[in-house]
Amino acid sequence: MTTPPSRRALVVRGGWDGHEPVQTTDHIAGRLETNGYELVISDDTAPYADAALMADIDLVVHCITGGEITADEMTGLTDAVAAGTGLAGWHGGITGSFPGNTTFMHLVGGVFAAHPAGPSTPDDNGPPSVFVRHRVTFTEAGHDHPATRGLEDFELVSENYWLLTDDYVDVLATTTQPTRPDTPWHRPVTSPAVWVRHWGEGRIFVATPGHDLATVTRPEVTQLIERGLAWASR
């Protein structure tokens, strides 16, 4: 019996340390290894410009908040996804990458705009926290999609992302920013929390939960990310 070839995943991580890119990707990388992936791990974006490497990658796990990317690296990533390499990520590691890079925004389909703070209380000694209780609610499409089918709504006390997205995302889950007397918006605002999109021959998966290791290791978040990576992979 012929042994099936292993799949290869490229984990690219870096940027703002507050999102714990090394710790969170190490956790997810362990899950990928358990599922039979051979891993390539990089602390910068240089592999994206290596056409031979990218042609052999089945899944890119992208986790960089902020940072910069060269034109050659950006082209390498977009060409690889269009040719069938999957792309996936979570939280600011994918929605907050390379500020102002419209090519990356176009590829991913959404960008972080804000994480509005919770309400102030009379005994606060500082600004309201951006860690707020919010609910991740799966949509009708999410209940039917292979990446999220069977998953249940869950609550987090973490950053709730307000996002700007395009019409080519298939939204599988949402969160809502409520309105209060101290907010400048006048009705609740619902943003995607999980979405997917097809790009050429490739698949893209994005989840906004995943601020830090404590969040990513929550069973429901680990399962969500793991399922999304499996769907996105070539």
Side-chain angles (χ1 to χ4, degrees), residues 19-29 63 90 210 212-213 216:
H19 281 159
E20 300 184 334
V22 172
Q23 298 92 323
T24 55
T25 54
D26 278 351
H27 172 67
I28 296 300
C63 187
W90 55 86
D212 53 13
L213 184 62
V216 170

Side-chain angles (χ1 to χ4, degrees), residues 136-216:
V136 175
T137 304
F138 290 96
T139 64
E140 183 176 346
H143 290 304
D144 192 50
H145 194 278
T148 51
R149 186 183 298 129
L151 300 185
E152 297 182 354
D153 300 351
F154 60 92
E155 287 192 348
L156 288 173
V157 178
S158 184
E159 294 176 338
N160 187 9
Y161 272 16
W162 184 316
L163 294 158
L164 306 178
T165 58
D166 66 34
D167 190 48
Y168 191 55
V169 297
D170 296 327
V171 179
L172 306 185
T174 63
T175 62
T176 298
Q177 302 283 351
T179 187
R180 304 186 306 270
D182 61 335
T183 65
W185 58 94
H186 302 287
R187 62 176 183 268
V189 176
T190 298
S191 290
V194 181
W195 72 83
V196 294
R197 68 207 260 123
H198 291 80
W199 200 258
E201 298 299 316
R203 296 176 172 184
I204 299 170
F205 171 85
V206 178
T208 61
H211 172 78
D212 53 13
L213 184 62
T215 307
V216 170

Side-chain angles (χ1 to χ4, degrees), residues 118-133:
S120 301
T121 58
D123 57 352
D124 277 344
N125 294 317
S129 174
V130 295
F131 279 65
V132 295
R133 182 174 296 280

Side-chain angles (χ1 to χ4, degrees), residues 98-117:
F98 320 132
N101 188 308
T102 55
T103 303
F104 188 79
M105 295 179 198
H106 191 206
L107 176 66
V108 171
V111 62
F112 165 80
H115 35 53

